[in-house]
Amino acid sequence: MKILAVAGLESPFLDQIEQVLHNAGLAPAVIKHEEESLTFEEWHDTVNNNLDIDYRYVKENAQYHNKLALKIAKVYSADKNASLWGWADPKTVWTLDLWLDNKPNFHALLPCFSPDRWLASRLVADSQNLLASDYIEQWLEVHQQLLRV
């Protein structure tokens, strides 16, 4: 059984890619947390809150790395017979090391956007009214992580 995660900058394109993959046969992932089903966004937020540390830096701390590894073990496919299952979530970028370390059958699809395309899409779609330099900083931070992994 193989696991595929789509990770990168937050974008409607991630959802579109995920939908295409599910239509092609990718089984959805299931996360159980205290008998409750979670989305990956909720799972990442829960992990971050429970560990009380920014998960972008978990790799540097073995104690948190081990706790998160246990949480990763609770993610599975809803279809036990699926040969390929996965999800799309931009926050997966920050836990790629942990997935790679703990799930040898883990693969990632990492779509990239040029900084000018990212900036244009954010300026049109975002209601946060951030400066252009803030959006470029977000782009740079995510792409540095993608290149590091």
Side-chain angles (χ1 to χ4, degrees):
M1 181 178 306
K2 293 184 181 179
I3 304 167
L4 177 65
V6 182
L9 286 165
E10 187 171 344
S11 161
F13 294 115
L14 290 184
D15 295 334
Q16 292 170 357
I17 292 168
E18 181 181 34
Q19 190 59 49
V20 167
L21 291 170
H22 286 309
N23 289 343
L26 178 73
V30 173
I31 306 166
K32 289 290 187 187
H33 176 71
E34 298 173 2
E35 301 305 315
E36 183 180 330
S37 292
L38 300 175
T39 67
F40 263 88
E41 182 177 2
E42 292 167 335
W43 182 81
H44 282 111
D45 290 343
T46 299
V47 166
N48 194 25
N49 292 338
N50 286 347
L51 296 180
D52 195 30
I53 188 171
D54 189 333
Y55 48 75
R56 290 178 280 189
Y57 307 104
V58 167
K59 179 77 173 175
E60 300 166 9
N61 186 312
Q63 173 190 358
Y64 294 112
H65 183 276
N66 293 338
K67 284 183 182 179
L68 189 52
L70 291 173
K71 292 188 178 297
I72 285 174
K74 295 180 181 179
V75 177
Y76 58 91
S77 171
D79 179 357
K80 300 292 184 208
N81 297 319
S83 60
L84 180 64
W85 57 275
W87 66 91
D89 182 44
K91 293 179 181 178
T92 302
V93 165
W94 308 112
T95 57
L96 286 171
D97 284 326
L98 296 162
W99 285 102
L100 290 165
D101 290 349
N102 292 285
K103 296 283 189 180
N105 54 346
F106 176 82
H107 304 277
L109 178 62
L110 307 171
C112 296
F113 305 98
S114 65
D116 55 334
R117 184 175 177 191
W118 166 252
L119 178 59
S121 71
R122 291 297 91 190
L123 292 175
V124 169
D126 250 342
S127 61
Q128 297 178 14
N129 295 322
L130 297 177
L131 298 173
S133 59
D134 294 331
Y135 291 116
I136 294 300
E137 184 63 35
Q138 288 175 0
W139 181 93
L140 182 61
E141 185 178 359
V142 168
H143 281 77
Q144 285 176 328
Q145 174 68 6
L146 292 175
L147 290 170
R148 193 192 60 72
V149 175

